[in-house]
Amino acid sequence: MNMHKLVKVLASAGIAATVVTSAHVASGDDGMNTVEAAESKNSNYKYQGDTGYGDGNFLLNDALIKTLEEDGDLAFNGHAIEASETDYEKRAKKKSEFVEEHDQKFTLRGGTATKVVFPIQEETLSIDEVTEAYGDDYEVKKDKDDKYETYVYKLGDQKDEAEKNVIAFKVENDFVTQGTIGYSSSY
């Protein structure tokens, strides 16, 4: 069942979609990624499979956003991701290792992923949909050649900005073409 159908089913049953606090995304037999949701006391989000063949709506998933906001357990294709600048700084002196799983590129430091970069199918996820889901508290960074912009969100209620989890959206012609979860000195 895809997320749209899940939300429609929940909505038609009168159940608020915000009950979803944990999600697991797995690739189904049809090659499409699916979301399995369950209630949990801890926020966590696990993603399996490619990101670049779908419509990118997994980025709008309440469970993903909540996991980033609450610094819960976040994993893509089996790699746990520590996504704040503080997490990065703790490991900055360790040797970087670059790993690819499906269509995602991970930066590992000391065996821990501090960043994952992934493609989003062109012209499927608009930046308007992203700002509707994540809000207006973002920083826009321009590409030096002015070909794209990157919207950078720091999520969480920590007082220290460096402790907030980072998610960034590369935007070309008002559509997201790439996502990054984790701190980077440049996007």
Side-chain angles (χ1 to χ4, degrees):
M1 175 178 285
N2 73 29
M3 192 61 185
H4 293 299
K5 289 179 186 172
L6 176 63
V7 170
K8 286 178 186 174
V9 168
L10 292 175
S12 68
I15 302 170
T18 54
V19 173
V20 177
T21 58
S22 176
H24 174 79
V25 181
S27 184
D29 291 338
D30 59 2
M32 296 299 291
N33 291 317
T34 57
V35 176
E36 298 169 14
E39 286 187 65
S40 171
K41 291 185 179 172
N42 296 329
S43 55
N44 63 60
Y45 186 89
K46 296 187 183 343
Y47 189 96
Q48 281 295 130
D50 292 318
T51 62
Y53 299 110
D55 59 13
N57 278 327
F58 72 93
L59 291 166
L60 308 178
N61 184 292
D62 289 338
L64 172 62
I65 296 169
K66 184 175 180 179
T67 299
L68 288 165
E69 289 174 341
E70 295 180 356
D71 201 20
D73 296 327
L74 174 65
F76 274 62
N77 290 308
H79 292 281
I81 303 164
E82 299 292 329
S84 74
E85 183 176 356
T86 299
D87 292 326
Y88 168 83
E89 292 296 337
K90 282 184 207 173
R91 297 167 180 87
K93 292 183 179 166
K94 297 185 185 225
K95 184 179 177 188
S96 293
E97 180 183 352
F98 303 99
V99 176
E100 289 189 32
E101 296 284 344
H102 291 273
D103 61 356
Q104 293 116 62
K105 296 177 182 172
F106 296 86
T107 302
L108 305 178
R109 293 179 179 274
T112 299
T114 57
K115 181 172 74 170
V116 60
V117 179
F118 46 87
I120 299 299
Q121 186 176 350
E122 289 185 29
E123 297 187 8
T124 57
L125 180 64
S126 74
I127 191 58
D128 290 341
E129 291 172 291
V130 170
T131 57
E132 188 175 314
Y134 286 83
D136 294 328
D137 190 12
Y138 55 83
E139 181 181 347
V140 176
K141 299 187 181 227
K142 298 264 188 193
D143 169 46
K144 64 182 178 200
D145 297 327
D146 213 24
K147 291 181 181 176
Y148 63 87
E149 300 173 323
T150 303
Y151 287 63
V152 181
Y153 285 88
K154 292 182 179 180
L155 303 177
D157 58 6
Q158 299 90 334
K159 288 186 172 125
D160 183 350
E161 288 286 309
E163 292 183 9
K164 295 181 179 190
N165 287 315
V166 179
I167 186 167
F169 303 91
K170 180 179 175 182
V171 177
E172 298 178 53
N173 300 318
D174 297 324
F175 286 94
V176 176
T177 58
Q178 179 178 285
T180 302
I181 296 175
Y183 173 77
S184 179
S185 57
S186 65
Y187 292 94

